[in-house]
Amino acid sequence: LTAPAPFADETSCQCQAPHEKLTIAQARLGTPVDRPVRVYADGIFDLFHAGHARALMQAKTLFPNSYLLVGVCSDDLTHKFKGFTVMNETERYEALRHCRYVDEVIRDAPWTLTPEFLEKHKIDFVAHDDIPYSSAGSDDVYKHIKEAGMFVPTQRTEGISTSDIITRIVRDYDVYARRNLQRGYTAKELNVSFINEKKYRFQNQVDKMKEKVKNVEEKSKEFVYKVEEKSHDLIQKWEEKSREFIGNFLELFGPDGAWKQMFQERSGRMLQAFSPRQSPNSSPTRGRSPSRSPSPPWVINKTSPPSSPKAASASLSSMSEGDEDEK
């Protein structure tokens, strides 16, 4: 696996033991190391893909000890019996040489296998899918191989073939033409008309503009998302700070807050400072009767009003006399 597979016309046959005919049962049991089972698989192998590789893997693993020879038809033979290829014969040869399951590549392989060809390359069995392959005026080019008991079938890989790949290219021709124009290929190399070239280039410009708009939209969405995320964080922090501010405000100015208590203490001190102190009970008196305090001379006794003017004058004279006595 450290070098590509050799070409058959550049190397001698590696099988040194006499080439005796094997049956499939004998091959499945295993053969000596110096006598591997020589399996042959042929084809066009245009646009070498996974379906080709899986078929060769099956051919390689048919028997415990096998040597896989792969025949590849030339361009002239392929164009004559099948049609035009995408890859030329040199490219197809090289593609097969670098497949890990291939031990030897036979260039310019025949379209129909002859006894002389089988004897020349000491081929024991031919591996191919079991679907009849009609070509070159025959219903099945492998019919005589099957009758000789040398045919071993393999399974096709569904969903992949050279025809499928070519169908995709034809279907999406405009896309690939525009892509190659953008990559520097000329309209002449792509066999594109002048009008189609201008159309494809205009479409490429439109696609570039769409891509720029898409990038701007994505960046704007990302910016809006970051702004929303930061605004959410700011709102959350503002709510936390507002709760803390309201709590501190209530502790200071609430119904039972520190400010009210301080105000009550200061107002109490001010009231005590402005209101006079009461006299003690042990202070000396001026000799008045404790039971009855003297009334001032200008107070008129409302309980016993004078019944006549004479009585009123008499009371006034008595008051004046009393004043004189006090003087």
Side-chain angles (χ1 to χ4, degrees):
L1 296 179
T2 59
F7 291 119
D9 54 359
E10 294 179 353
T11 182
S12 60
C13 179
Q14 296 183 6
C15 182
Q16 304 298 330
H19 187 260
E20 299 178 357
K21 187 174 180 60
L22 294 173
T23 64
I24 294 179
Q26 291 174 336
R28 292 190 188 281
L29 290 175
T31 56
V33 177
D34 60 346
R35 174 60 173 93
V37 180
R38 295 176 68 82
V39 181
Y40 176 80
D42 60 356
I44 309 302
F45 301 106
D46 191 21
L47 297 175
F48 188 79
H49 52 74
H52 294 143
R54 289 181 63 85
L56 297 177
M57 179 187 68
Q58 295 177 58
K60 176 67 175 177
T61 57
L62 285 171
F63 308 107
N65 183 21
S66 62
Y67 185 85
L68 180 61
L69 300 93
V70 179
V72 184
C73 300
S74 64
D75 286 345
D76 294 337
L77 200 60
T78 303
H79 299 166
K80 178 180 178 181
F81 291 106
K82 191 170 184 177
F84 190 74
T85 59
V86 178
M87 301 170 63
N88 59 43
E89 59 184 24
T90 303
E91 294 169 338
R92 292 185 285 115
Y93 295 155
E94 288 298 323
L96 266 299
R97 290 186 70 195
H98 292 84
C99 178
R100 63 183 303 176
Y101 309 112
V102 178
D103 295 307
E104 189 174 315
V105 175
I106 301 175
R107 293 182 285 193
D108 193 13
W111 197 261
T112 302
L113 301 178
T114 62
E116 293 78 14
F117 179 83
L118 297 174
E119 180 63 27
K120 176 183 177 181
H121 295 283
K122 299 182 180 181
I123 296 171
D124 293 311
F125 301 100
V126 177
H128 200 274
D129 61 81
D130 202 13
I131 301 174
Y133 194 83
S134 59
S135 179
S138 174
D139 295 335
D140 190 359
V141 295
Y142 297 104
K143 183 178 179 180
H144 64 289
I145 303 295
K146 295 176 182 178
E147 292 174 351
M150 299 176 62
F151 186 84
V152 184
T154 57
Q155 299 295 324
R156 292 179 64 89
T157 302
E158 297 296 333
I160 182 67
S161 68
T162 302
S163 299
D164 292 338
I165 296 174
I166 294 175
T167 301
R168 297 177 201 172
I169 296 172
V170 173
R171 181 190 61 197
D172 301 327
Y173 169 77
D174 289 349
V175 177
Y176 297 126
R178 288 168 51 192
R179 182 189 66 177
N180 286 356
L181 281 173
Q182 192 173 4
R183 291 183 176 181
Y185 289 88
T186 63
K188 184 178 180 180
E189 291 173 331
L190 297 173
N191 195 23
V192 174
S193 65
F194 177 80
I195 296 176
N196 286 335
E197 179 189 5
K198 298 304 178 183
K199 181 183 72 173
Y200 293 151
R201 294 191 184 280
F202 176 74
Q203 290 174 345
N204 287 335
Q205 294 296 328
V206 172
D207 289 344
K208 287 182 180 180
M209 186 62 64
K210 288 181 179 179
E211 189 68 23
K212 289 182 180 179
V213 172
K214 184 179 179 181
N215 292 335
V216 171
E217 289 180 353
E218 291 178 356
K219 290 182 180 180
S220 62
K221 287 180 181 179
E222 184 178 357
F223 176 75
V224 171
Y225 175 76
K226 289 182 179 180
V227 170
E228 289 179 352
E229 188 177 6
K230 289 184 178 181
S231 62
H232 178 73
D233 294 339
L234 290 174
I235 291 172
Q236 187 175 2
K237 291 180 180 179
W238 182 83
E239 290 179 350
E240 294 175 357
K241 292 293 182 181
S242 63
R243 292 193 190 99
E244 183 180 355
F245 175 77
I246 292 172
N248 295 335
F249 183 83
L250 292 176
E251 289 180 1
L252 185 61
F253 298 102
D256 299 327
W259 180 261
K260 182 178 180 180
Q261 294 179 0
M262 182 177 65
F263 180 77
Q264 288 178 351
E265 292 177 359
R266 290 188 177 181
S267 61
R269 292 175 184 175
M270 292 176 65
L271 290 173
Q272 289 179 2
F274 285 108
S275 62
R277 297 180 180 179
Q278 294 181 357
S279 301
N281 295 330
S282 59
S283 59
T285 59
R286 297 177 63 181
R288 295 193 179 102
S289 173
S291 60
R292 186 177 179 181
S293 59
S295 299
W298 59 82
V299 176
I300 301 174
N301 191 0
K302 295 181 179 180
T303 57
S304 58
S307 59
S308 63
K310 292 182 179 181
S313 61
S315 62
L316 290 172
S317 61
S318 63
M319 288 172 62
S320 60
E321 289 176 0
D323 293 336
E324 290 178 357
D325 291 339
E326 288 180 0
K327 292 179 181 179

